[in-house]
Amino acid sequence: MFLHTLNTRGLRSQLKDSVPVAGLCPQGTYGVQDTLRGGFTSVKNELLPSHPLELSEKNFKLNQEKMNLSTLRNIQGLHAPLKLQMEYRAARQIQRLPFLQSSNLAVDTLQGSDEYIGFEDILNDPAQSEMMGEPHIMVEYKLGLL
Amino acid sequence: MALSTVLETPVAGFDFENAARNAALEGLLEKGQAPKPLKTGTTIAGVVFKDGVVLGADTRATSSEVVADKMCAKIHYIAPNIYCCGAGTAADTEKTTDLLSSNLTIFSLNSGRNPRVVMAINILQDMLYRYKGHIGANLILGGVDCTGNHLYTVGPYGSVNKVPYLSMGSGDLAALGILEDRFKSDMQLEEAKDLVRDAIHAGIMCDLGSGNNIDICVITKQGVDYIRPYQESEYVDNRKRQYKYRPGTTPVLTEKIVPLKLEVVEQTTQQMDSA
């Protein structure tokens, strides 16, 4: 699929991993608020506290991975995390288009989450989400063209 | 209808979008009080005896000042040899113990072994520490495995204690008084059951959040004896669930029959083809 060959780390998509901080990072391109898609700016909306667990939950899996891989590097040397990460990155590319449900079978098997039931399997199942995204816009976002 | 503001599929797991809305609502409601979740306000206790572990719990679930459930089951199944009593928010204890039980079942199917109590404790501790106390579950886990008889407690922030006798919940101080006074190591089964029954009874008498019946669960190497209820409260509910009375219970004074006059308006016949 040609999506792999295009650069998927466009300017806009680099900002999407952050939680909005008051006034510093509006959601549009070039740092200007995109009123058409995001609505009017309101400092009050961004100052209100979000849940204390929001940030830590967003990055939980990533942080755990980093911790485990750095311990592995210290114990076994550079080759161990390198090989594991190589497999993980290859498996992560096996995806359907952004607006379709991917099974993520390879990634689950590598990370062991096919044998573990957590809150992510019970709550907020993406297959049953009430809001549907516009397919063209989701693909453009993924390619960083938005 | 497809929304153009949805740029990525939602991530599974906890969704925090209503946190800002709830904070705003709390400011708008009078006295700034959001509705409270159903707590169990409990007395639970556990004791290690010679051949295993005895767990006990009361059966009242409260929602602020109202008793929401008089026959709540607070002793949850985790594995064939491990049971868990839960105090705190009722939904949190239920879901956490369910998840734990599912994960241990997967493990025992994969490896062909009975799970150990330390495994259950480690999984619980990791899970509760990750959510920094927002999951309000105070649990007493007891079980018998190949390494012996174990009794552990896990707090909502992830603290773990391994002790021979234990009580948790809002009635824990009352129950602990009885346990501290009469606990001996290596007791017999009947003695241990009596001790746990007395401890829960003290919790029921001295705490408003505990009451109704007492459940006991005895776990030994031979198996599990889940006695529900071990002792029923004296205040029995005498309401009849069915209110049907036989004809003739009340005397008939008069009877008047009015025949309905029907006239035939239209008559049609339709052929059925039964082939």
Side-chain angles (χ1 to χ4, degrees), chain B residues 73 104 111 118 129-130 145 151 167 169 184 192-193 204 217-218 221 231:
Chain B
L104 285 182
S111 63
V118 275
Y129 181 67
R130 172 176 171 177
D145 58 26
L151 187 67
S167 77
K184 294 189 301 282
K193 271 163 59 170
I204 290 177
C217 182
V218 180
K221 240 192 167 69
Q231 178 185 302

Side-chain angles (χ1 to χ4, degrees), chain A residues 12 16-17 37-38 45 48-54 56-57 60-61 98-101 114-126 129 131-135 137-138 141 146, chain B residues 1-17 19-24 92 95-96 98-100 102-103 106-107 110 123 126-127 129-135:
Chain A
R12 174 72 179 83
K16 69 190 173 196
D17 294 329
R37 289 198 192 88
N45 278 343
L48 272 181
S50 58
H51 201 269
L53 280 182
E54 194 169 346
S56 82
E57 275 300 296
F60 185 78
K61 269 223 156 93
F99 49 91
L100 293 171
Q101 280 298 309
D114 61 339
E115 287 174 354
Y116 178 74
I117 302 183
F119 286 113
E120 60 272 0
D121 296 304
I122 309 172
L123 300 171
N124 209 20
D125 189 7
S129 95
M131 296 196 292
M132 195 178 105
E134 234 290 291
I137 297 191
M138 289 176 86
Y141 178 74
L146 203 57
Chain B
M1 251 256 328
L3 290 177
S4 56
T5 47
V6 176
L7 294 171
E8 284 176 312
T9 43
V11 178
F14 286 108
D15 187 6
F16 296 103
E17 4 173 270
R21 176 206 75 169
N22 291 346
D92 289 342
K95 262 293 178 281
T96 317
D98 272 350
L99 275 177
L100 178 63
S102 307
N103 283 321
I106 295 180
F107 162 78
N110 262 336
I123 297 177
D126 286 339
M127 197 191 299
Y129 181 67
R130 172 176 171 177
Y131 294 103
K132 306 283 185 298
H134 286 275
I135 296 190

Side-chain angles (χ1 to χ4, degrees), chain B residues 147-160:
Chain B
T147 49
N149 317 325
H150 305 282
L151 187 67
Y152 287 88
T153 172
V154 187
Y157 288 87
S159 57
V160 168

